Amino acid sequence: MKAYTLAAAIIVAATASASARQWSLDSCVEYAVEHNIEVKQSILSARQGELDVTAAKDRFLPQLSGYASQSFNFGRGLTADNTYANRNTQSFSVGAQLQLPVFQGLAAVRGLRYSRTALKAILERSEATKDDVTLNVISQYLQALYAREMLGVARIRLGISQRELERRRELVEAGKIAELDIHEALAQVSQDELSVVNAENDSIIALLDLAQLLNLPADEHFDIAPLDDEDIPLLSPDEVFANAMRYNHSIRAGVLENEAAEQNVAVAKSAYIPTLSFNAGIGTNYYKTSGFSNERFAEQMRHNFAKSIGFSVSVPIFDAFSTRNSVRRARIQQQNVQLQLDDARNRLYKAITQAHTQAVASLKKQSAAQVAVASTKAAFEAMQLKFDNGRANATEFEKAKSDYTSSLADFVQARFETILRARILAFYNKAD
């Protein structure tokens, strides 16, 4: 009962897919890049990088602050005569202070340079994320097409078995063969029908995986169109790698991250340099003591008004090796980023050479499989003729059929493997 339920569900899903709008590879890539969560997160990281650049620019601006305070004191206190007496006092002060950085030990300049380089690296890393999504979509798209082609092979095998079953029924009715032969044919049809159900299930799952990769809504009826350009020229791995080193976003991001790490070392060294700042302030206050004659509030505020300007220099002498340790940590981080860049280059070269090697091998396999399809098809047709005339048994017939359908499956697999690897090489070879 469960098997019939599964088969019914697969047939319904396949019918829905057949009526759905077909998506091209380009439309799938475009939609995935726009809706992928990792891409959206990388865009937020870019916005954070832009804020870091703005914050670095703001370090050059002065700081202005105002203040106001009111205090009350009660009880005994020391007087001007150096005696203690009961005094109630209150005071009020108000003013403003300005601090302008004149020279910050190059920390602000170097920090701004670092923030700008880091932002460029983040933008390149965002593009690299889009590239990863694009490659995943291409791979899954071809996997869905491959599953559909394998479904076609399974249906060819089922069609052959069904035709053989009908032929045996006619022979039984004519009294030329025993009824046992029909049961054997029925068993073979049942096996091939199960293979078709499994192939349909694989095709639907492949489409489902692609839809999930695109982050499509759950109720979206989804289907894909065949490729328009299957014949993609096979590129040289050295040429592809040379172009990838110039245009690949992941490599460019690594180069910029390494440059930013070097600049971060300079930022850490800035703490060794003295700083100079300009300070200015204005303020006034009011003071009242019980038992004494005090000027009125407005008069005191006017008479006590004061202005100040000045410069302050900070010279680092000993900070418990804090700056030295910061510089060392920055250098270690820079070395780590350099190693990551070297590893990215090595992995990219490996991916390109491996894709080329697999493409060459699958291309050879495709040529051999194409020859095998032609020869096994001819052998199957000859065996079918012999079997129809009673000069071959069922085992020989099934072997010829199996050889033919297996060669078809090998050809489909080799063809899609060639297309996938060629597209990977073409993708790495692209220039902005």
Side-chain angles (χ1 to χ4, degrees), residues 87-102:
R87 295 285 187 268
N88 294 333
T89 62
Q90 59 174 306
S91 64
F92 172 77
S93 61
V94 64
Q97 294 179 334
L98 172 71
Q99 184 177 16
L100 176 64
V102 179

Side-chain angles (χ1 to χ4, degrees), residues 300-321:
Q300 284 197 43
M301 293 293 287
R302 185 173 63 253
H303 294 159
N304 295 336
F305 182 78
K307 296 172 284 187
S308 66
I309 60 172
F311 291 89
S312 61
V313 178
S314 176
V315 180
I317 297 176
F318 181 72
D319 61 355
F321 301 113

